[in-house]
Amino acid sequence: MLFKSLVQSGLLAVAGLSQYASAASSASSSSSSSDSETIEVVGNKFYYANNGSQFYIRGIAYQASVSSQNTSFVDPLADGTTCKRDLPYLVGANTNVLRVYALDNASDHSECMNMFKDAGIYIIADLAQPKVSISTDDPAWNIELYNRYTSVIDEMQQYDNTLGFFAGNEVITNSTNSNAAPFIKAAIRDMKKYMSDSGYRAIPIGYSANDDADTRVASASYFNCGDEDEVADFYEPKNSPT
């Protein structure tokens, strides 16, 4: 699903499963609202924290192919030259959110993040990386994963234009491996607690589902049930092609 528009794929806040508007209806939430203010989830929508106006996503995935079969990756937010090259095209496409699938937590991201911040562009970052992620076939939530996830949060929380994190990406692929869901939810719970215990702002954490009609809605219901400290803040279902 790489390089697929988040709007096209139907990025939703979990609570109420309210679909976000298209780019055509989102002009009012341009960078003029605030290029540097943080975004928060209230109810089933995203809002600018400073003035309460609604934030509508106009996004693309911003990374070369990353998958379990391709365990190496290039961190797109660690290369200021590439970010500077791409920025005019992203702005020209009226983009305000980039999804990044894998980050090198030891790299410096300040040049790209500040460049995108000045342009009113926010980042949703996956907490996993190909070699360290919750597995579809043998799901677990362990110390290695915990340390990986918290290291990404430690790095990215410092930037106001970090909009959110994904705790899992297409981990549940059909009804035979839905037993992975509790491990993803445990990750969401523990990362929320980690941010709170660390004194970080409450950056939204969500889950990105795959294109399986039998599990999409059930997964959304599951990730939306329970106490506030364990539910997903947003949910991205992939729409079937027409």
Side-chain angles (χ1 to χ4, degrees):
M1 301 296 177
L2 295 174
F3 301 106
K4 181 175 182 180
S5 163
L6 290 176
V7 171
Q8 180 184 10
S9 63
L11 183 60
L12 312 182
V14 169
L17 298 181
S18 176
Q19 187 165 359
Y20 288 97
S22 66
S25 63
S26 59
S28 63
S29 64
S30 67
S31 59
S32 61
S33 295
S34 176
D35 289 346
S36 61
E37 284 301 324
T38 59
I39 305 299
E40 61 185 2
V41 170
V42 179
N44 63 357
K45 296 178 174 64
F46 288 119
Y47 294 92
Y48 286 100
N50 66 326
N51 59 24
S53 62
Q54 190 172 346
F55 179 84
Y56 297 94
I57 287 177
R58 305 184 300 272
I60 64 169
Y62 186 64
Q63 191 150 18
S65 181
V66 175
S67 68
S68 58
Q69 289 74 39
N70 178 20
T71 56
S72 64
F73 65 91
V74 176
D75 183 344
L77 299 182
D79 184 350
T81 300
T82 299
C83 293
K84 185 176 182 180
R85 177 201 67 191
D86 295 341
L87 183 60
Y89 300 99
L90 297 170
V91 172
N94 205 25
T95 303
N96 66 0
V97 173
L98 302 177
R99 179 181 178 181
V100 178
Y101 287 77
L103 294 174
D104 177 4
N105 57 331
S107 293
D108 180 10
H109 301 96
S110 58
E111 184 176 3
C112 286
M113 289 299 293
N114 290 329
M115 192 183 307
F116 290 141
K117 174 183 174 180
D118 290 342
I121 296 175
Y122 291 78
I123 304 297
I124 300 179
D126 284 53
L127 295 172
Q129 57 111 318
K131 293 181 180 178
V132 186
S133 61
I134 299 174
S135 168
T136 295
D137 299 325
D138 186 22
W141 176 239
N142 53 36
I143 294 298
E144 182 184 22
L145 285 163
Y146 182 93
N147 289 338
R148 162 65 192 181
Y149 279 34
T150 55
S151 70
V152 176
I153 289 176
D154 286 340
E155 168 61 18
M156 297 302 290
Q157 59 79 31
Q158 64 184 298
Y159 303 109
D160 287 346
N161 57 327
T162 297
L163 187 156
F165 299 112
F166 278 115
N169 178 56
E170 303 187 35
V171 181
I172 304 163
T173 60
N174 56 58
S175 59
T176 67
N177 50 46
S178 59
N179 62 315
F183 298 96
I184 303 164
K185 199 164 186 179
I188 294 170
R189 175 201 64 205
D190 290 352
M191 293 306 98
K192 286 189 172 187
K193 186 175 190 302
Y194 179 77
M195 286 190 286
S196 176
D197 291 347
S198 301
Y200 299 155
R201 65 182 172 93
I203 301 172
I205 303 179
Y207 173 67
S208 180
N210 87 316
D211 187 17
D212 179 63
D214 294 332
T215 57
R216 280 197 306 261
V217 175
S219 292
S221 297
Y222 175 75
F223 287 115
N224 190 38
C225 72
D227 296 331
E228 184 64 28
D229 60 359
E230 65 180 357
V231 300
D233 297 309
F234 59 96
Y235 181 80
E236 182 201 9
K238 303 294 194 303
N239 290 338
S240 298
T242 56

